[in-house]
Amino acid sequence: MATISLSISIQIVAWAIWILLCGKCLDNALHQLVVAASGSSTLQLKQAKALQETGWWPSTTHAQASSNYSSACHWDGITCNAGGSITTIDRFDQHLGGQLIKLNFSFFPNLVSLNLSWNSITGRIPLEIGMLKNLVYLRLSSNMLVGPIPSTLGNLTNLKYFLSLSSNMLGGPIPSTLGHLTNLEYLSLYSNILVGPIPATLGHFTNLKYLDIGLNKIDGSIPSEIGMLKNLTTLFLDSNMLVGPIPSTLGHLTNLRSLYLRQNQINGFIPSEIGILENLTSLYLDSNMLIGPIPSTLGHLTNLEFLNLSQNKINGSIPSEIGMLKNLTNLYLYSNKLVGPIPSTIGYLTNLQFLYLHQNQINGSIPPEIGMLKNLTSLYLDSNMLVGPIPFIWDNLTDLQYLDLSVNSLTGSIPYREVNLYWVKYVNLSHNSIIGEIPVALGSVARLSSLDLSYNNLTGHIPPSLIYIKRIDLSHNSLKGQIPDGFNRHHKSHTLTGNWHLCGQFKIFPPCPKSKKSIVTKIEIFAPITSFLGFLVIRGIILSRCVFKKNQFELRESKNGNIFSIWNYDGHIAYEYIIEATEDFDIRYCIGTGGYGSVYKAELPSGNVVALKKLHQREAENPVFYRSFINEVRVLTDIRHRNIVKLHGFCVHKGCRFLIYEYMERGSLFWVLRNVDEAMELDWSKRVNIIKGTAHALSYMHHECIPAIVHRDISSNNILLNSEFRGFISDFGTAKLLDPDSSNQTLVAGTYGYIAPEFAYTMIVTEKCDVYSFGVVVLEVLMGRHPGELLSPLSSSSSSSSFQNMMLNEILDRRLPPPNRLIGQDILLIATIAFACLHTQPKSRPTMKCVSQEFLSRKKPNVIPLTTVPLLQLRKQVAYMEGSGFAYC
């Protein structure tokens, strides 16, 4: 018992001694906490004052913060850490002015991200920017900064995601100290006035994925050290003053997808090592001083989509290996010294849309295999040494719009069948040795606006149908006879000079003779013909009365088959059969109601099923609805795409107006998503294909149509699905043709919940309005419902807590089983693109061309379970995609 008491006494004494010794320590600890808190408050005060002095925030913000400067953490574009120290400054596209030097960088030791791009900030980049040691993201692009790039940027060794100084007026050389930024993944110095060589220290950027120093005044040669950038996917060195050869070390960049060396003074041969870059999709070496042959190793670039070697001094023949580039869409070899024939293997390039081989010394005949290029829209073979007749190469070229075979030695006649050149706008066959007559049907090509047949040996009369072609040149041939009536009202006399056997209309030609002999001759010829025709007509009437009832159905079926396979402007005939098929538009055939009329299903006697959009009588008399009707006709007659609903024709008859479309069995995407059974049938694979198809169609409208077409009402209601759930954009009643010479200001159009936010206050329509609407539709397809409230966190500077904690898999349509990993890759890419399309700033949204190309590329995100992908991460990924050039390509 005494032992226990002694033990307790000893413990009490020990505690007392510890308290006496360490009490002072506790006081010191408490004092340090007070000092730290005071220091934190002082730092917040300094940071708020530093921000206030820039003038980049409204005065109302300063007033609110006057009593407590720590509230700067709540200013627009400001993010703080748990201690109240600022970590992010984002004033992207806020119309800011002033100078960067006004911002005291010494007060921001914890700054991680600085984005001041797309403003009007002037002056130099201060040396003190090198004090931001924790910076991982720096973007000062698209301002009015001048002076040199400070070498102190090399101190920012934590920079990782982004360093962009592009689109300023920065001068001087690229500092070699930038080579210290070994963690950097993106570097853009594009569009400045930088001089001097590319520093060899850039080879230290072993993590770099994107490098753009194009559009400067960089000279010297491309350093071989650039081959050390093993992770590089995009390299832009274009539009500089680079000299010397292309280094063979470029062959080490096996991850490279885009290589732009165009518009320099690079000489020497194209290194065969480029053939190692099998991931390349874009190769631009044009407008240099390259010599020698095209290396056959280019045939290894089977992912290549864009190849431009034009405007060099390349010689030799086109290698047959060119036919291995199965994904090629654009091939530009013009303005070189190429010889030999066009290889027949070119027929393997079935995805080719643009083929430019003009201004070379290519000989031989035009290979008939060119007719296999079914997607070709532009074919330029002019200014070569081609011989022989023009083959029927365009029998299958149904998308051809531009054809130039001029300045060759082609012979034979002009091959033409009525199905040829339906979409063609420009034809130039001048300066050849073509013989025979001008095909009469050539004048019936509705879209042909320019025809040049000058300097040939054409004979015969001028077909009257040619006079309505906007630009025409038939000079220096052997045409004869009377110039068609009205020719002089549309064209000048020089378009016919050199045809000395023509007569009439122009003073340079003699008047056409009108002799009695010719009149008698005409009577002698035409009188018997007229009598005979009259006899046939009378006989036909008699016979038709006898067999009318027997053949009535067969006649209508034949007519019907033709009416809806080609354009028909005879409203009476179309109306007659539509009335019969719909029983005078009985309500039983109505399958829906659109913006300005009702939609009917009509099964024709031939078995064809079509959809009819009919204006009600009230709408037919309303000028606004009638304009929408005419607008839809105008737009859809000029566009054709596999994911745009096909317009067969239209009819205006007795005040009844309707459009005739191909029938879509599944109806609108809106209704399919809201029907449980059909929504479950619309599996993830089908949904992915609908999104991709819509993107391709919008890219076609925005970037391949001239002028560009903006739909203005992209929504799930206006995407129709056929029996196989393939998506088609419909309802072009509000579509607008963009006029580059006008403001494109217009009235509000579109569906609530899909309209881009900027359109409400600018009233100016751009392609980016469709991009935003597309983003909404994408989320709707993934979620199975309109994203609704999910759009609000996307447009706010600080996301709600629920948004921050939400995973991608949580928003997916739960009526479907979770996607497998392969489809999950597609969904991750699609969701990321959707967030980019929903950016509040139109300039930061990608173009639909970029979206379409991203879908066409074979590169997909790494296989990551969707349960581990936060929505907040996707939102942050948008900034990185902007950095990779996605928003500006």
Side-chain angles (χ1 to χ4, degrees):
M1 186 69 177
T3 305
I4 295 173
S5 300
L6 179 63
S7 174
I8 294 172
S9 299
I10 292 171
Q11 289 180 21
I12 292 171
V13 171
W15 288 344
I17 295 171
W18 184 85
I19 290 171
L20 289 172
L21 292 174
C22 296
K24 189 174 183 180
C25 298
L26 291 171
D27 288 341
N28 287 337
L30 290 171
H31 176 72
Q32 289 173 5
L33 287 172
V34 171
V35 170
S38 174
S40 175
S41 177
T42 302
L43 179 61
Q44 292 175 30
L45 175 65
K46 289 179 179 179
Q47 289 181 340
K49 289 190 69 175
L51 295 179
Q52 179 180 350
E53 289 170 359
T54 63
W56 295 340
W57 280 265
S59 56
T60 54
T61 304
H62 305 157
Q64 294 169 2
S66 59
S67 60
N68 181 9
Y69 278 112
S70 65
S71 63
C73 292
H74 303 289
W75 293 8
D76 288 343
I78 299 298
T79 305
C80 298
N81 60 19
S85 182
I86 292 176
T87 57
T88 299
I89 300 175
D90 188 345
R91 299 299 282 159
F92 170 82
D93 196 13
Q94 297 296 314
H95 310 288
L96 307 180
Q99 296 191 352
L100 193 60
I101 200 170
K102 288 185 178 181
L103 186 61
N104 193 329
F105 294 111
S106 64
F107 294 148
F108 301 92
N110 297 309
L111 197 65
V112 174
S113 175
L114 176 61
N115 185 355
L116 300 174
S117 58
W118 285 86
N119 287 292
S120 300
I121 299 172
T122 59
R124 294 171 174 251
I125 302 175
L127 294 173
E128 291 78 8
I129 200 168
M131 301 173 67
L132 305 177
K133 297 294 180 64
N134 289 306
L135 212 60
V136 299
Y137 182 101
L138 175 58
R139 187 172 175 186
L140 304 176
S141 54
S142 300
N143 279 288
M144 301 169 66
L145 298 171
V146 297
I149 299 173
S151 60
T152 55
L153 282 179
N155 298 335
L156 308 181
T157 53
N158 283 310
L159 271 179
K160 180 179 180 182
Y161 298 112
F162 212 98
L163 172 55
S164 178
L165 307 178
S166 61
S167 300
N168 283 286
M169 294 179 283
L170 300 171
I174 301 172
S176 60
T177 54
L178 291 186
H180 298 160
L181 310 180
T182 54
N183 293 311
L184 197 62
E185 295 181 0
Y186 178 101
L187 174 60
S188 179
L189 307 177
Y190 166 79
S191 187
N192 282 286
I193 47 177
L194 299 173
V195 298
I198 301 171
T201 55
L202 258 64
H204 299 164
F205 290 133
T206 52
N207 288 304
L208 203 65
K209 297 178 180 178
Y210 183 101
L211 174 60
D212 187 353
I213 56 176
L215 201 57
N216 280 284
K217 296 185 177 180
I218 304 293
D219 55 26
S221 59
I222 302 171
S224 60
E225 289 82 357
I226 210 158
M228 300 167 64
L229 311 181
K230 300 293 180 65
N231 288 302
L232 207 62
T233 62
T234 304
L235 177 58
F236 289 98
L237 304 180
D238 56 301
S239 304
N240 278 290
M241 301 168 65
L242 294 169
V243 297
I246 300 172
S248 59
T249 53
L250 279 180
H252 300 161
L253 308 181
T254 53
N255 288 307
L256 205 61
R257 294 181 61 201
S258 299
L259 176 58
Y260 284 68
L261 305 181
R262 62 187 310 188
Q263 295 178 351
N264 281 285
Q265 299 171 33
I266 298 171
N267 54 36
F269 295 83
I270 300 173
S272 60
E273 288 81 0
I274 280 186
I276 302 172
L277 310 180
E278 294 184 359
N279 287 308
L280 268 186
T281 60
S282 301
L283 176 58
Y284 285 82
L285 306 180
D286 55 290
S287 304
N288 280 289
M289 302 171 67
L290 296 170
I291 60 172
I294 299 172
S296 60
T297 54
L298 284 185
H300 299 161
L301 307 181
T302 53
N303 289 308
L304 206 61
E305 297 174 11
F306 303 89
L307 175 59
N308 194 339
L309 307 180
S310 64
Q311 295 182 305
N312 281 286
K313 298 180 180 179
I314 298 171
N315 54 32
S317 59
I318 301 172
S320 60
E321 289 82 358
I322 205 88
M324 299 168 65
L325 309 181
K326 301 293 180 65
N327 288 302
L328 208 61
T329 62
N330 296 55
L331 177 57
Y332 304 105
L333 303 179
Y334 65 90
S335 298
N336 278 291
K337 297 183 177 181
L338 294 171
V339 297
I342 300 171
S344 60
T345 54
I346 207 162
Y348 298 145
L349 307 181
T350 52
N351 288 307
L352 204 61
Q353 298 176 20
F354 300 90
L355 178 57
Y356 287 60
L357 304 181
H358 54 285
Q359 295 178 7
N360 280 287
Q361 300 169 32
I362 298 171
N363 54 36
S365 58
I366 300 173
E369 287 81 3
I370 285 184
M372 299 166 62
L373 309 181
K374 295 183 180 181
N375 290 301
L376 206 61
T377 63
S378 298
L379 175 59
Y380 285 81
L381 305 180
D382 54 288
S383 303
N384 278 291
M385 302 170 66
L386 295 169
V387 298
I390 303 172
F392 279 95
I393 56 174
W394 43 74
D395 270 10
N396 295 322
L397 306 186
T398 55
D399 290 330
L400 195 65
Q401 297 181 27
Y402 299 92
L403 173 66
D404 195 336
L405 306 179
S406 63
V407 195
N408 280 287
S409 299
L410 298 173
T411 57
S413 59
I414 300 174
Y416 188 84
R417 286 197 278 264
E418 289 191 10
V419 295
N420 301 147
L421 309 179
Y422 182 75
W423 293 97
V424 80
K425 299 176 181 178
Y426 172 92
V427 174
N428 190 344
L429 305 179
S430 65
H431 293 84
N432 280 289
S433 300
I434 299 172
I435 60 173
E437 297 186 355
I438 301 173
V440 174
L442 195 61
S444 64
V445 180
R447 292 159 183 79
L448 185 59
S449 60
S450 181
L451 176 64
D452 191 346
L453 303 178
S454 61
Y455 291 91
N456 278 289
N457 297 317
L458 295 170
T459 57
H461 294 78
I462 300 172
S465 57
L466 299 185
I467 68 172
Y468 299 109
I469 296 174
K470 188 174 182 179
R471 290 178 296 275
I472 192 168
D473 192 347
L474 306 178
S475 62
H476 301 283
N477 279 285
S478 299
L479 300 172
K480 65 180 180 179
Q482 183 175 348
I483 300 170
D485 291 340
F487 193 96
N488 59 342
R489 292 197 299 270
H490 300 276
H491 307 288
K492 303 295 185 181
S493 61
H494 68 82
T495 61
L496 297 177
T497 57
N499 293 283
W500 305 120
H501 299 290
L502 291 174
C503 63
Q505 296 201 26
F506 298 108
K507 292 181 179 179
I508 62 171
F509 299 108
C512 296
K514 295 181 180 180
S515 64
K516 292 181 180 180
K517 183 178 180 181
S518 64
I519 295 172
V520 171
T521 303
K522 288 180 181 178
I523 293 172
E524 290 175 350
I525 293 173
F526 288 105
I529 294 175
T530 305
S531 301
F532 179 71
L533 289 175
F535 170 76
L536 288 180
V537 169
I538 295 170
R539 183 174 181 271
I541 292 172
I542 295 170
L543 287 174
S544 65
R545 289 182 176 178
C546 297
V547 298
F548 176 80
K549 290 185 178 180
K550 179 181 177 181
N551 294 333
Q552 185 177 20
F553 179 80
E554 289 82 354
L555 177 63
R556 290 191 175 190
E557 185 175 7
S558 174
K559 279 187 178 180
N560 185 261
N562 289 329
I563 287 169
F564 299 105
S565 62
I566 62 172
W567 275 96
N568 174 57
Y569 295 95
D570 186 342
H572 179 71
I573 297 175
Y575 185 79
E576 179 183 82
Y577 287 92
I578 293 301
I579 286 294
E580 187 173 353
T582 61
E583 298 183 34
D584 199 9
F585 295 102
D586 189 277
I587 191 66
R588 291 177 298 153
Y589 298 94
C590 184
I591 57 174
T593 302
Y596 56 88
S598 296
V599 181
Y600 295 80
K601 176 182 178 182
E603 184 172 354
L604 305 171
S606 63
N608 292 336
V609 179
V610 295
L612 311 167
K613 183 189 287 187
K614 175 182 176 292
L615 268 70
H616 301 306
Q617 186 65 33
R618 182 180 59 192
E619 281 84 359
E621 296 171 355
N622 187 321
V624 174
F625 289 109
Y626 183 67
R627 280 196 297 271
S628 294
F629 175 91
I630 294 301
N631 191 61
E632 187 151 9
V633 171
R634 180 179 60 165
V635 171
L636 286 178
T637 53
D638 286 329
I639 62 177
R640 182 173 56 173
H641 189 275
R642 66 183 65 183
N643 293 105
I644 295 177
V645 67
K646 186 177 181 181
L647 181 64
H648 290 305
F650 68 95
C651 177
V652 178
H653 179 73
K654 295 180 181 178
C656 175
R657 301 181 173 100
F658 56 82
L659 303 168
I660 308 166
Y661 295 95
E662 61 182 323
Y663 178 66
M664 295 291 160
E665 293 82 356
R666 298 284 183 171
S668 73
L669 175 62
F670 176 90
W671 287 111
V672 169
L673 289 175
R674 278 148 187 81
N675 182 295
V676 176
D677 294 332
E678 293 204 24
M680 292 180 68
E681 196 175 347
L682 191 65
D683 58 32
W684 291 120
S685 179
K686 293 185 178 77
R687 297 189 189 204
V688 166
N689 288 334
I690 289 170
I691 291 169
K692 290 182 178 180
T694 304
H696 299 328
L698 286 172
S699 175
Y700 167 82
M701 290 161 53
H702 292 179
H703 301 283
E704 297 182 39
C705 295
I706 302 174
I709 299 170
V710 179
H711 188 281
R712 294 205 296 164
D713 195 11
I714 293 296
S715 69
S716 57
N717 260 320
N718 291 331
I719 296 175
L720 304 182
L721 307 179
N722 66 5
S723 59
E724 300 172 353
F725 288 101
R726 185 172 149 194
F728 297 78
I729 296 178
S730 70
D731 202 341
F732 286 76
T734 61
K736 184 173 179 64
L737 306 177
L738 288 191
D739 182 0
D741 298 323
S742 72
S743 67
N744 290 306
Q745 193 162 5
T746 184
L747 298 176
V748 174
T751 302
Y752 179 77
Y754 299 84
I755 302 174
E758 74 277 1
F759 185 62
Y761 56 84
T762 65
M763 304 297 287
I764 296 175
V765 61
T766 69
E767 294 95 330
K768 294 300 179 76
C769 297
D770 280 354
V771 175
Y772 181 90
S773 303
F774 171 76
V776 178
V777 171
V778 170
L779 287 184
E780 185 175 2
V781 173
L782 295 181
M783 298 171 67
R785 64 187 187 279
H786 189 278
E789 294 180 358
L790 186 63
L791 297 178
S792 299
L794 297 178
S795 60
S796 61
S797 58
S798 59
S799 302
S800 64
S801 58
S802 61
F803 179 85
Q804 289 181 355
N805 298 325
M806 195 176 294
M807 297 294 174
L808 176 56
N809 70 299
E810 294 179 59
I811 70 168
L812 298 181
D813 193 341
R814 295 186 179 181
R815 293 173 294 184
L816 295 182
N820 61 41
R821 287 205 163 194
L822 186 61
I823 293 293
Q825 287 179 280
D826 275 319
I827 290 175
L828 178 56
L829 174 64
I830 286 169
T832 306
I833 288 174
F835 278 76
C837 293
L838 292 169
H839 203 293
T840 54
Q841 299 295 336
K843 294 177 182 177
S844 297
R845 294 174 204 148
T847 64
M848 289 311 304
K849 182 175 183 180
C850 289
V851 173
S852 176
Q853 289 177 346
E854 196 74 11
F855 287 151
L856 288 171
S857 70
R858 297 180 180 178
K859 181 183 177 183
K860 293 182 180 178
N862 294 328
V863 179
I864 304 172
L866 301 185
T867 55
T868 65
V869 181
L871 293 187
L872 189 62
Q873 176 184 324
L874 294 184
R875 184 183 176 191
K876 290 179 178 179
Q877 182 70 8
V878 171
Y880 181 77
M881 294 179 76
E882 287 177 53
S884 67
F886 182 61
Y888 308 108
C889 62

